[in-house]
Amino acid sequence: MNILLDAMGGDYAPQEAIKGVKSFLSEDATTTISLVGSEELCMPLLKEHEIDLNRVSFIPSTQVIEMHEHPTKALKEKQNSSIAIGFQHLKEGNADAFISAGNTGAMLVGTAFSIKAIEGVLRPTIGSPAPKLNGGLGLLLDVGLNADCKPELLDQFAVLGSLYSQEVLGIANPRVGLVNIGEEEGKGNLLAQATYPLLKNNSLIHFIGNVEGRDLLLDKADIYVCEGFVGNVILKTLESVYTVSLKRKIKDEYFDRFNFEYYGGTPILGVSKPVIIGHGISSALAFKNMIHQAKKMLDTDLCGKMKQKFSQLK
Amino acid sequence: MNILLDAMGGDYAPQEAIKGVKSFLSEDATTTISLVGSEELCMPLLKEHEIDLNRVSFIPSTQVIEMHEHPTKALKEKQNSSIAIGFQHLKEGNADAFISAGNTGAMLVGTAFSIKAIEGVLRPTIGSPAPKLNGGLGLLLDVGLNADCKPELLDQFAVLGSLYSQEVLGIANPRVGLVNIGEEEGKGNLLAQATYPLLKNNSLIHFIGNVEGRDLLLDKADIYVCEGFVGNVILKTLESVYTVSLKRKIKDEYFDRFNFEYYGGTPILGVSKPVIIGHGISSALAFKNMIHQAKKMLDTDLCGKMKQKFSQLK
C-alpha cells in the first residue's frame, strides 16, 4: 500500500502536511507514505520533525498550483506541480491513493483525467460527514461536485454513500434518507418527487424515506442524499455554525465535533482509486486523519466493492 | 386598523393566543384586535386574563382545521372553521390582516382563494428571518412555498424581500445576495447562473452578488434569495441547530436569537393584505410578536408599496 500525499497543498503547506505525516506514523506501524513537494522546502522539515525516511519516500516537484488558478489550465501548464505529478503516479500505479489540500478544482479535474470513474457510475460524487447529536456520524452527499442532478444520479449517490458508510464509517446497514421539505412520499420539488420511487425500489440500499433539514443532526438516517447545490449550502451553513460557536467562545463537546478536521477530508466516491481533497485550512490533524481515511479506504477495498456493486446493476 | 387573529391555531390553542393578545395590548395603546375561535373555549380565557373587550372583538367559530388535514378539502368542508371564517372576513374587508398558527397549507390555500396576488407578482413567497452574528437581521426567502423556481421568480422575491426588509425590519438600503455555491458570477447550478444577470440588472434592488452557506449568519447581505427547496432545508437546519443548543444547555445570546418566536411568524409576501403564518408550537410570545408584525405591515402600508413597485414593472 502506497499512499501519496501532496505536501504543497493547503494554506499551511508544507509544514502542516509534514507534521500530519509525523503524527500518522506515530499511530501506525506499517503503512508507507509518499510525499510529493518542493525538495528545498520539505527536506529541512522532514529532518526537523525526524521523519523516518524508511517509511516515507519523497518525490520532488518544482511547481505549485495555487488556490485561485483555473484548474484545467493550471494542470496543463504546470506539469511539474505537486498535483500533476501526484495524479501521474496514481495513473501509472505507483501510488494507490492520492491526498491533497490544494486547489479543489485541480483535484477534481486531475481525478477525471487520470483515473476512471467506476464502470456504471454516471458521475462521481463528494460527501461530507454530518456529526449526529447522539455521537454517530452521518454522511451528506453530494456536497457540490454535481450542482444540478437527475434522479438517477441521486440514486447512485445513495449506493456509493452506503458503501462508504459501511466500509469506512463502520455502519452495518446504513439508512438512506432523501433530503426533502416534507416527510410524506410525494412531497418536495420535482427532483425529490422523481427520486423517491427510485430509492424505494433500489434493493442495494436501505431507504427510510424523506428527511428534512431538522433531521440532519439527529439519528434519523446515516446517508443524506441531495443534489450538490443543496448539499453544499447545508455543509457551508453548518461549517459557519461551528465558526460562530468558536467566535462566541462556546465550549461544547457536540459543537466541537463540527470541526471537520477530525474526519480528514472529502473523498471522491465512484472513481477507481481513493482520492481525498482536504480543506484549504487543513492543519496537521486534518492531514493525519486524511491519511487514516485513505488507508481505511484501501484496507477495506472500498473501490473494489463499489466496482462489484455497480457490475450487479448491469 | 383591524387585525384578526385565529385563536384556535397552534398546538397550545386557544390559551397561548389569548395570552399573546393580552401581552400585545399591554404594549400597544390603540390597536384593536379581532379574535376568531370557539366561544366556549375562548370566553372563559378572555375573562381569566382580563382582556379589555373594548379593544378585542370576538367572532365565534364552531370548527377547527386540524394540523394533519388536507388543506383544500378541509377549507371546503369546514366553512365554520376559524381559518375559513378568518379568510371570509379578510375577503369582505372586515379585517385588514389575518394571523394564524394553524394548518399552514390551509393558510396558503385560504390566502390564494380569498385575497389576490398583487398585480404583476407571479407567485407570492414566504420568508424567514436569519439572525446575524453582528446583531442585525437578514431575510431568507423563499423558505418553502415555491419548491421549484424559475429565475424570474427569484428576481421578484428579491423585490418583495427588499420592501419587507426596508419597511418592517427597518433596513434602509437592503443588500440582496443570491444563495449560491461559489462567489464569482457564473458559478452555481443552472438556476443560479440564469438568475444572476436578472438580479444584476434589476434597478429596484441593491444586488451585491453571490452569497454562500457560510455567509448566512454574517453581515454579507440583508436578503438571501433562493428557491423554496433550498431555503426550507436551510431554515429547518438552523432551527435544528437552535434546538440542539437548547438540548446541550448552551446559554448564548446569539444562539438565543434563533428562537423564531422573537420575530413573530412567516408573512406571505406578494398578496394584497398581510397574512402571517405562525409556527405550530407558537407560544404567547410568538402570538404577541405576530400581532406587532401585522401592525407594522399595515402601518407602513407594505402591501400598497408592493403594488406601487410592481406597477412600475409593467
Side-chain angles (χ1 to χ4, degrees):
Chain A
M1 182 189 303
N2 186 15
I3 296 170
L4 177 57
L5 176 67
D6 172 14
M8 308 310 286
D11 300 345
Y12 312 116
Q15 172 89 19
E16 293 300 312
I18 288 171
K19 280 163 68 182
V21 168
K22 168 83 179 173
S23 180
F24 173 81
L25 292 177
S26 71
E27 288 175 11
D28 180 288
T30 55
T31 311
T32 54
I33 294 172
S34 294
L35 268 177
V36 55
S38 149
E39 208 161 357
E40 196 187 334
L41 291 174
C42 294
M43 279 307 170
L45 287 167
L46 289 172
K47 208 166 184 178
E48 181 192 329
H49 292 285
E50 298 172 336
I51 306 280
D52 180 356
L53 292 180
N54 291 317
R55 292 183 61 197
V56 176
S57 59
F58 190 79
I59 303 162
S61 63
T62 54
Q63 292 172 304
V64 174
I65 296 178
E66 304 292 343
M67 287 304 204
H68 63 271
E69 288 191 75
H70 187 280
T72 322
K73 196 164 166 275
L75 270 175
K76 203 173 166 185
E77 290 174 3
K78 292 187 168 174
Q79 304 226 351
N80 289 316
S81 63
S82 53
I83 292 184
I85 292 174
F87 279 116
Q88 198 58 37
H89 275 72
L90 200 64
K91 185 181 178 178
E92 291 168 359
N94 301 325
D96 302 308
F98 183 44
I99 301 168
S100 175
N103 186 308
T104 302
M107 286 299 289
L108 296 171
V109 173
T111 303
F113 282 99
S114 66
I115 56 170
K116 288 177 184 169
I118 287 166
E119 211 185 321
V121 171
L122 297 167
R123 293 270 305 160
T125 179
I126 52 175
S128 173
K132 295 179 186 175
L133 191 55
N134 74 348
L137 208 54
L139 180 72
L140 176 70
L141 81 177
D142 184 278
V143 292
L145 186 49
N146 304 283
D148 288 291
C149 288
K150 298 204 164 148
E152 294 72 24
L153 286 191
L154 298 197
D155 193 33
Q156 290 203 344
F157 297 167
V159 177
L160 294 169
S162 294
L163 277 166
Y164 184 82
S165 182
Q166 259 168 37
E167 302 297 330
V168 179
L169 304 179
I171 297 166
N173 187 22
R175 296 155 298 169
V176 173
L178 174 64
V179 176
N180 208 335
I181 60 172
E183 284 184 359
E184 304 86 7
E185 180 169 359
K187 290 272 181 182
N189 59 3
L190 296 173
L191 175 64
Q193 286 171 25
T195 304
Y196 194 105
L198 296 186
L199 294 174
K200 198 175 164 184
N201 295 319
N202 185 338
S203 62
L204 298 178
I205 59 165
H206 176 200
F207 180 55
I208 55 120
N210 292 323
V211 289
E212 298 188 75
R214 63 171 148 254
D215 303 316
L216 294 174
L217 307 181
L218 307 179
D219 194 30
K220 193 145 173 195
D222 299 298
I223 320 282
Y224 298 97
V225 178
C226 58
E227 58 179 345
F229 190 89
V230 175
N232 186 275
V233 173
I234 297 172
L235 173 64
K236 286 181 181 159
T237 302
L238 290 177
E239 282 181 348
S240 153
V241 167
Y242 173 64
T243 310
V244 163
S245 78
L246 291 184
K247 279 189 189 164
R248 298 290 307 168
K249 296 191 169 47
I250 291 171
K251 297 249 182 266
D252 181 80
E253 268 179 37
Y254 175 65
F255 278 92
D256 282 349
R257 292 178 56 228
F258 280 80
N259 179 350
F260 288 91
E261 297 208 40
Y262 286 123
Y263 312 108
T266 304
I268 304 181
L269 303 179
V271 291
S272 59
K273 289 184 179 184
V275 174
I276 296 174
I277 307 173
H279 210 295
I281 55 163
S282 288
S283 69
L285 175 67
F287 282 105
K288 181 194 79 177
N289 285 328
M290 282 193 272
I291 306 172
H292 277 301
Q293 193 180 6
K295 182 173 186 295
K296 192 87 187 253
M297 289 170 79
L298 290 170
D299 278 343
T300 58
D301 189 23
L302 177 66
C303 296
K305 284 178 179 140
M306 285 178 174
K307 274 177 210 164
Q308 201 184 0
K309 204 64 117 177
F310 275 83
S311 73
Q312 291 173 28
L313 291 176
K314 278 190 277 190
Chain B
M1 183 189 301
N2 186 15
I3 296 170
L4 177 58
L5 175 68
D6 172 14
M8 309 310 286
D11 300 344
Y12 312 116
Q15 171 89 16
E16 292 300 312
I18 288 169
K19 280 163 66 182
V21 168
K22 168 83 180 172
S23 178
F24 173 82
L25 292 178
S26 71
E27 288 175 11
D28 179 289
T30 55
T31 312
T32 53
I33 294 171
S34 294
L35 268 176
V36 55
S38 150
E39 209 161 357
E40 195 186 338
L41 292 174
C42 294
M43 280 307 172
L45 287 168
L46 289 172
K47 209 168 185 177
E48 181 191 329
H49 293 285
E50 298 173 335
I51 307 280
D52 179 357
L53 291 181
N54 291 317
R55 293 184 60 198
V56 176
S57 61
F58 190 80
I59 303 162
S61 63
T62 54
Q63 293 173 303
V64 173
I65 295 179
E66 304 292 345
M67 287 303 202
H68 64 270
E69 288 190 76
H70 187 279
T72 322
K73 196 164 167 276
L75 271 174
K76 201 173 167 185
E77 289 173 3
K78 292 186 166 175
Q79 304 227 349
N80 289 316
S81 63
S82 53
I83 291 184
I85 291 173
F87 279 114
Q88 198 59 37
H89 275 72
L90 201 64
K91 185 181 179 178
E92 292 168 358
N94 301 326
D96 302 307
F98 183 45
I99 300 167
S100 175
N103 186 308
T104 301
M107 287 299 289
L108 296 171
V109 173
T111 303
F113 282 99
S114 66
I115 56 170
K116 286 177 185 170
I118 287 167
E119 210 185 320
V121 170
L122 297 166
R123 293 271 304 160
T125 179
I126 52 175
S128 172
K132 294 178 186 177
L133 190 56
N134 74 347
L137 208 54
L139 180 71
L140 175 71
L141 81 177
D142 184 281
V143 292
L145 186 48
N146 304 284
D148 287 291
C149 288
K150 296 201 165 153
E152 293 73 25
L153 286 191
L154 297 198
D155 194 33
Q156 290 203 345
F157 297 167
V159 177
L160 294 169
S162 293
L163 278 165
Y164 184 82
S165 182
Q166 259 167 35
E167 303 297 330
V168 180
L169 304 179
I171 297 166
N173 186 23
R175 296 154 299 170
V176 173
L178 174 63
V179 176
N180 207 334
I181 60 172
E183 284 185 358
E184 303 86 7
E185 180 169 358
K187 291 271 180 181
N189 60 3
L190 296 174
L191 174 64
Q193 286 172 24
T195 304
Y196 194 104
L198 296 186
L199 294 174
K200 198 175 163 183
N201 295 318
N202 186 337
S203 62
L204 298 177
I205 59 164
H206 176 199
F207 180 54
I208 55 120
N210 291 323
V211 290
E212 297 189 74
R214 62 171 149 252
D215 303 316
L216 294 173
L217 307 180
L218 306 180
D219 193 29
K220 191 144 174 197
D222 299 298
I223 319 283
Y224 298 97
V225 178
C226 58
E227 59 180 343
F229 190 88
V230 174
N232 186 275
V233 173
I234 297 172
L235 173 64
K236 286 181 181 159
T237 301
L238 289 177
E239 283 182 349
S240 152
V241 167
Y242 173 64
T243 311
V244 164
S245 78
L246 291 183
K247 278 190 189 161
R248 299 288 309 168
K249 296 191 170 45
I250 292 172
K251 297 250 182 264
D252 181 81
E253 269 179 35
Y254 175 64
F255 278 93
D256 282 351
R257 293 178 57 228
F258 280 82
N259 178 351
F260 289 91
E261 296 209 41
Y262 285 122
Y263 312 107
T266 304
I268 304 182
L269 304 179
V271 292
S272 59
K273 289 183 179 185
V275 175
I276 296 174
I277 307 173
H279 209 294
I281 55 163
S282 289
S283 69
L285 175 68
F287 281 106
K288 180 195 79 175
N289 285 328
M290 282 193 273
I291 306 172
H292 277 301
Q293 193 180 8
K295 182 173 186 295
K296 192 84 186 258
M297 290 170 78
L298 290 171
D299 278 344
T300 58
D301 189 24
L302 177 67
C303 296
K305 284 178 180 140
M306 285 178 173
K307 273 177 210 162
Q308 202 185 358
K309 204 64 120 178
F310 275 84
S311 72
Q312 292 173 27
L313 291 177
K314 278 191 280 193

